[in-house]
Amino acid sequence: MLLRPSGVLDSGSRPARARPGAISVSQLPFRQGVRLAVDVGSVRVGVARSDPGGILASPLAVLTSGPGEKAAQARAELARLAASEGAIEVIVGLPTSLSGREGTAAAGAREFAADLAGRLAPVPVRLVDERFTTTEAHDALRRGGKNARARRQVVDAAAAAVLLQAALNAERATGRPPGQLVRAGDGAGA
């Protein structure tokens, strides 16, 4: 299949014709601006950034986190990063099981996102399913020649980049921002 400049999929030899009234991929609305994505962990928080056109995600930073004051410092640093990067949105990964169930890690991500929403208002914060992002990041880093020790230092930011790229691709495909919008105080359930 080919994607024609009009955004219509084509299987080969004949030019594709859009149905009357059909919307092509290139006609869907797409917001311009830098987005950040966050892979929340109990020890580290990976951060990724998109380009201003919202096309490509890249790893940005790994912040130290942990219980209590360390988590608060990571959230404050992330708020500073969002302001300095001019982010129009922050995506927070929501870890769920293969069946879609949420455990303690998801509750922690929801709490993190709600706190961040309070710090960043009016910049939107969204929760997006992050299943397999860390696995994909490890695989990509392994293929890039990084050994286990080197991967450990950067995998969280790489996982955030995988999450952000998936969110950007989903928005381009649907014309809608991805995930669930989080409001300050939504920590227990959104």
Side-chain angles (χ1 to χ4, degrees):
M1 292 263 184
L2 299 171
L3 185 62
R4 297 275 182 205
S6 66
V8 177
L9 289 175
D10 181 23
S11 61
S13 58
R14 295 182 313 175
R17 294 199 168 123
R19 293 185 326 257
I23 296 175
S24 73
V25 173
S26 62
Q27 293 172 323
L28 291 175
F30 188 73
R31 301 169 299 144
Q32 297 291 305
V34 171
R35 284 109 162 144
L36 295 184
V38 183
D39 179 59
V40 180
S42 58
V43 177
R44 290 179 296 274
V45 175
V47 184
R49 175 191 189 278
S50 77
D51 64 293
I55 303 296
L56 184 64
S58 303
L60 180 63
V62 176
L63 309 175
T64 301
S65 189
E69 186 58 32
K70 286 183 179 182
Q73 288 172 349
R75 293 170 187 175
E77 178 59 26
L78 187 54
R80 283 190 292 276
L81 267 175
S84 70
E85 295 291 334
I88 65 163
E89 179 173 74
V90 176
I91 304 292
V92 176
L94 181 63
T96 57
S97 68
L98 290 177
S99 68
R101 288 197 174 100
E102 295 184 14
T104 56
R110 285 188 181 280
E111 179 186 323
F112 188 98
D115 180 79
L116 198 56
R119 293 173 189 260
L120 296 179
V123 173
V125 174
R126 297 181 176 280
L127 283 164
V128 174
D129 185 344
E130 71 163 28
R131 277 179 268 190
F132 303 116
T133 57
T134 301
T135 302
E136 288 179 37
H138 269 294
D139 289 347
L141 292 169
R142 188 178 306 109
R143 285 190 307 270
K146 298 268 190 206
N147 66 28
R149 181 178 289 256
R151 285 195 310 266
R152 194 174 312 123
Q153 301 304 314
V154 297
V155 72
D156 299 294
V162 170
L163 171 68
L164 182 54
Q165 192 64 59
L168 294 170
N169 293 348
E171 183 172 344
R172 266 194 306 283
T174 64
R176 293 185 312 270
Q180 305 169 332
L181 185 62
V182 177
R183 294 184 190 353
D186 278 354

